[in-house]
C-alpha cells in the first residue's frame, strides 16, 4: 500500500471505539503532537502499563484479498492509581522501504471505579488499525496519560515487530507486493538446440523490459546478458542465445523491469529441460509436444462422436426414406382482459384468466397480475401499451345485485372481441 492509503485505512479503523472487558470502552484517534497533559503539573499520575503486545492479524481489504493489520493489546496495572488514568498513547515507528511515524490516543470513556474487572482480572484493551508493509520493522511504544511530570521518571512499554516479505501467503496479495511482481509466474522453459539455447517465458502486464542472464555452468563467473523488449499485451515470448556445444548445465535468470521496483525487481530462474527433435518443423519443447497431444486427443474424440451418431441414426430408421418436416413454433396468443372493478366479479375474471393461461396456453394480461408494473408506468400508460401488443381483447360486463344482507351475483357477460376468436 502507498503511504496515503495506509494512513486512510488506519483513520477509518481508528474512528470506531475498541472494547475492553466488562463493557468499558476506548475511543482512539490520531494525535500528531505531544499530549496536552504535558503542559501542566499533576499531583497524581497513573502507573505504567502492566503488559504490551502486538501481532499481525489477517483482514479483507478493498481488493477482496486478505491483508495484515497490527493488533496492539495492553493490560493495566492493578493499583489505586488507575483512578487517575484517562487515556493511553501508542506510537508506531516503521523502518523498511520507507520510514513512517504516527501516534494514536485512546481515551477511556469512563473513569475506572475498581482496580480489576468483575472477574477479578486485569483490565485489557486492544486496538487494530495500523496497516502493514512487507519486510518492515515496527517499533511500538505506549504509555499512560496523564504522563509523569518533567524531571520525573516517565514509565512506558515498548516492543518490536517484523512483517514478512512478499513470499508470504497473505502479504503477496498486498498492493506493495503486486506492484513488484509477487503474483507473476514467468513459467520459464530452457531448451538447448545444437549451439543455441531457446528460452520461453510468460510476460507480465507490469512491464515490457526484461534482462536475461545465461550461465553455461554453475561455477562460471562470466554470464551472457541479453536485453529484451516485448510488445504490450504479449503473453508468451521466445529468445534464442548462442552457446557452446559442450554446455549441458545451463541456467537462465530473468530480471524484469517494473515501475514499482525498477532494476531491483525479484529474479526468476529457469534450468535446462529435455527437448524433442522434429526434423520437419524443427525443435519442439515439451510444452509444444503436450499441445500436439491435446489436438490429437480432441480429433479422436470428434471421430468417435461422429461414428456413434451414425450408428444411432441407422438403428432408429425403420424405412429407407426419411422425411423431415419442419415444425414452426407458434407464438402464444396475447389476451388482454378488461373488466369492471366490482369486488363481486373479481373471482370470475380470475378463474377465466387462469383457464386461458393453463388450458389454452395463452399469454394473459390482467391488471391483478401486473400491479408492480402498473405502479411503475401508471394505469393509463400501462393500458395503452398493452392494447397495442395484445392480439385479443375480451371485455367483461357484470351486474352485482345486493338484497338485504345477502349478495347475489347475477353476472351478465358480453364478449366484445376484436376479430373472430376461439379461446383455445
Amino acid at each position: 500500500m502507498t503511504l496515503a492509503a495506509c494512513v486512510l485505512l488506519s483513520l477509518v479503523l481508528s474512528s470506531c471505539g475498541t472494547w475492553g472487558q466488562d463493557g468499558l470502552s476506548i475511543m482512539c484517534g490520531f494525535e500528531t503532537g505531544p499530549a496536552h497533559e504535558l503542559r501542566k503539573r499533576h499531583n497524581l499520575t497513573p502507573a505504567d502499563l502492566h503488559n504490551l503486545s502486538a501481532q499481525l492479524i489477517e483482514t479483507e481489504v478493498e481488493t477482496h484479498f486478505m491483508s495484515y493489520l497490527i493488533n496492539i493489546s495492553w493490560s493495566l496495572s492493578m493499583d489505586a492509581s488507575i483512578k487517575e488514568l484517562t487515556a493511553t498513547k501508542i506510537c508506531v515507528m516503521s523502518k523498511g522501504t520507507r520510514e513512517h511515524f504516527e501516534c494514536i490516543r485512546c481515551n477511556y470513556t469512563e473513569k475506572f471505579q475498581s482496580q480489576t474487572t468483575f472477574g477479578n482480572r486485569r483490565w485489557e484493551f486492544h486496538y487494530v488499525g495500523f496497516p502493514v508493509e512487507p519486510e518492515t520493522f515496527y517499533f511500538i511504544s505506549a504509555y499512560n496519560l496523564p504522563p509523569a511530570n518533567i524531571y520525573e521518571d516517565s514509565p512506558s512499554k515498548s516492543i518490536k515487530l517484523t512483517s514478512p516479505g512478499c513470499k508470504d501467503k497473505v502479504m503477496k496479495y498486498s498492493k506493495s507486493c503486486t506492484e513488484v511482481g509477487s503474483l507473476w509466474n514467468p513459467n520459464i522453459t530452457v531448451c538447448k538446440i545444437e549451439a543455441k539455447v531457446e528460452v520461453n517465458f510468460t510476460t507480465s502486464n507490469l512491464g515490457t523490459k526484461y534482462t536475461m542472464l545465461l550461465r553455461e555452468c554453475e561455477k562460471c563467473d562470466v554470464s551472457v546478458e541479453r536485453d529484451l523488449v516485448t510488445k504490450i499485451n504479449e503473453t508468451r515470448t521466445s529468445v534464442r542465445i548462442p552457446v557452446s556445444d559442450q554446455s549441458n548445465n545451463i541456467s537462465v535468470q530473468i530480471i524484469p523491469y517494473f515501475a514499482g521496483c525498477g532494476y531491483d525487481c525479484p529474479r526468476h530462474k529457469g534450468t535446462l529441460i529435455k527437448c524433442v527433435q522434429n526434423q520437419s518443423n524443427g525443435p519442439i519443447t515439451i510444452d509444444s509436444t503436450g499441445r500436439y497431444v491435446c489436438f490429437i486427443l480432441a480429433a479422436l474424440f470428434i471421430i468417435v462422436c461422429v461414428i456413434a451418431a451414425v450408428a444411432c441414426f441407422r438403428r432408429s430408421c425403420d424405412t429407407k426414406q426419411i422425411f423431415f418436416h419442419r415444425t414452426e413454433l407458434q407464438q402464444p396468443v396475447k389476451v388482454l382482459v378488461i373488466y369492471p372493478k366490482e369486488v363481486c366479479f373479481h373471482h370470475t375474471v380470475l378463474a377465466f384468466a387462469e383457464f386461458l393461461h393453463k388450458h389454452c396456453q395463452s399469454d394473459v394480461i390482467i391488471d391483478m397480475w401486473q400491479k408492480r408494473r402498473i405502479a411503475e408506468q401508471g394505469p393509463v400508460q400501462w393500458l395503452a401499451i398493452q392494447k397495442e401488443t395484445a392480439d385479443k381483447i375480451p371485455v367483461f360486463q357484470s351486474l352485482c345485485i345486493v338484497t338485504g344482507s345477502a349478495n347475489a351475483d347475477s353476472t351478465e357477460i358480453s364478449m366484445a372481441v376484436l376479430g373472430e376468436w376461439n379461446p383455445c
Side-chain angles (χ1 to χ4, degrees):
M1 296 183 180
T2 61
L3 181 59
C6 293
V7 173
L8 180 60
L9 181 60
S10 292
L11 182 60
V12 172
L13 291 172
S14 64
S15 61
C16 302
T18 306
W19 291 87
Q21 298 177 353
D22 297 330
L24 196 150
S25 63
I26 54 176
M27 295 296 295
C28 300
F30 287 108
E31 188 172 62
T32 56
H36 62 83
E37 287 88 349
L38 290 172
R39 301 175 183 175
K40 58 181 180 179
R41 183 176 179 81
H42 303 278
N43 295 328
L44 297 175
T45 57
D48 189 13
L49 295 173
H50 175 263
N51 184 44
L52 177 67
S53 61
Q55 62 180 353
L56 301 179
I57 61 172
E58 299 180 15
T59 183
E60 186 175 350
V61 294
E62 66 275 3
T63 57
H64 303 292
F65 288 113
M66 300 303 293
S67 182
Y68 283 126
L69 292 177
I70 300 179
N71 177 24
I72 302 175
S73 303
W74 66 93
S75 60
L76 306 180
S77 299
M78 293 189 300
D79 56 33
S81 66
I82 196 172
K83 296 183 178 180
E84 306 298 327
L85 179 62
T86 59
T88 297
K89 188 168 184 177
I90 304 171
C91 295
V92 177
M93 181 175 64
S94 59
K95 287 187 177 182
T97 54
R98 60 176 64 92
E99 293 188 3
H100 185 60
F101 180 81
E102 61 184 350
C103 297
I104 59 165
R105 177 191 176 106
C106 294
N107 295 313
Y108 299 99
T109 56
E110 301 176 9
K111 283 284 188 180
F112 288 92
Q113 303 299 325
S114 63
Q115 302 177 15
T116 60
T117 63
F118 294 120
N120 198 28
R121 294 178 297 176
R122 296 181 186 275
W123 292 97
E124 294 182 356
F125 300 89
H126 69 272
Y127 171 80
V128 179
F130 288 104
V132 178
E133 291 290 314
E135 295 182 345
T136 302
F137 295 97
Y138 293 92
F139 301 93
I140 306 170
S141 61
Y143 56 92
N144 287 330
L145 296 175
N149 298 310
I150 300 177
Y151 305 118
E152 294 180 356
D153 292 336
S154 180
S156 65
K157 287 284 190 300
S158 61
I159 55 174
K160 184 174 69 172
L161 185 66
T162 304
S163 63
C166 291
K167 293 184 178 180
D168 182 78
K169 63 178 183 179
V170 175
M171 187 61 71
K172 67 179 181 180
Y173 293 105
S174 66
K175 184 178 180 180
S176 300
C177 290
T178 55
E179 289 178 349
V180 299
S182 63
L183 301 180
W184 176 49
N185 180 18
N187 190 18
I188 304 171
T189 59
V190 183
C191 178
K192 185 180 179 183
I193 307 164
E194 295 180 354
K196 291 184 179 180
V197 168
E198 183 177 278
V199 181
N200 294 274
F201 68 96
T202 303
T203 60
S204 172
N205 57 0
L206 297 175
T208 58
K209 297 180 181 180
Y210 302 88
T211 300
M212 286 187 292
L213 297 179
L214 186 146
R215 289 189 176 183
E216 298 187 25
C217 60
E218 294 181 356
K219 299 180 180 181
C220 295
D221 296 331
V222 180
S223 302
V224 179
E225 184 174 337
R226 176 71 63 88
D227 293 329
L228 176 66
V229 178
T230 61
K231 298 179 181 179
I232 299 177
N233 297 328
E234 185 179 8
T235 57
R236 191 78 178 170
T237 189
S238 177
V239 179
R240 289 192 177 185
I241 304 174
V243 295
S244 61
D245 292 338
Q246 291 77 20
S247 301
N248 293 318
N249 193 13
I250 298 174
S251 64
V252 176
Q253 284 188 347
I254 296 181
I255 308 173
Y257 177 85
F258 299 148
C261 51
Y263 292 99
D264 194 26
C265 297
R267 303 183 179 190
H268 293 264
K269 184 178 180 180
T271 55
L272 194 65
I273 62 173
K274 185 179 180 181
C275 294
V276 178
Q277 190 71 21
N278 189 323
Q279 295 180 356
S280 60
N281 297 326
I284 303 174
T285 63
I286 292 177
D287 290 343
S288 301
T289 304
R291 222 176 287 128
Y292 281 106
V293 171
C294 292
F295 292 152
I296 294 173
L297 292 177
L300 291 175
F301 177 75
I302 294 174
I303 294 172
V304 172
C305 291
V306 171
I307 294 174
V310 172
C312 293
F313 178 75
R314 290 181 176 179
R315 186 179 300 175
S316 61
C317 294
D318 297 328
T319 60
K320 295 182 179 180
Q321 295 181 350
I322 301 175
F323 299 93
F324 296 94
H325 300 279
R326 182 178 178 182
T327 304
E328 297 182 356
L329 296 177
Q330 297 181 355
Q331 297 293 334
V333 178
K334 290 188 177 182
V335 181
L336 173 62
V337 179
I338 300 177
Y339 63 95
K341 295 298 182 180
E342 286 85 348
V343 176
C344 61
F345 194 54
H346 286 185
H347 66 281
T348 305
V349 176
L350 281 176
F352 179 72
E354 291 178 356
F355 173 80
L356 293 180
H357 179 67
K358 294 181 179 180
H359 299 281
C360 299
Q361 304 299 322
S362 299
D363 186 5
V364 181
I365 306 172
I366 186 171
D367 59 347
M368 287 184 285
W369 293 353
Q370 297 191 9
K371 292 183 179 180
R372 181 176 180 181
R373 189 170 296 177
I374 294 174
E376 295 175 351
Q377 299 177 355
V380 177
Q381 183 178 359
W382 175 84
L383 182 60
I385 295 174
Q386 305 308 322
K387 288 175 65 178
E388 293 179 359
T389 59
D391 299 321
K392 305 294 181 180
I393 306 178
V395 181
F396 291 83
Q397 296 179 354
S398 68
L399 178 62
C400 293
I401 304 175
V402 180
T403 59
S405 61
N407 293 339
D409 185 1
S410 176
T411 304
E412 179 181 322
I413 303 178
S414 66
M415 303 289 292
V417 183
L418 299 180
E420 296 180 359
W421 177 53
N422 183 359
C424 294

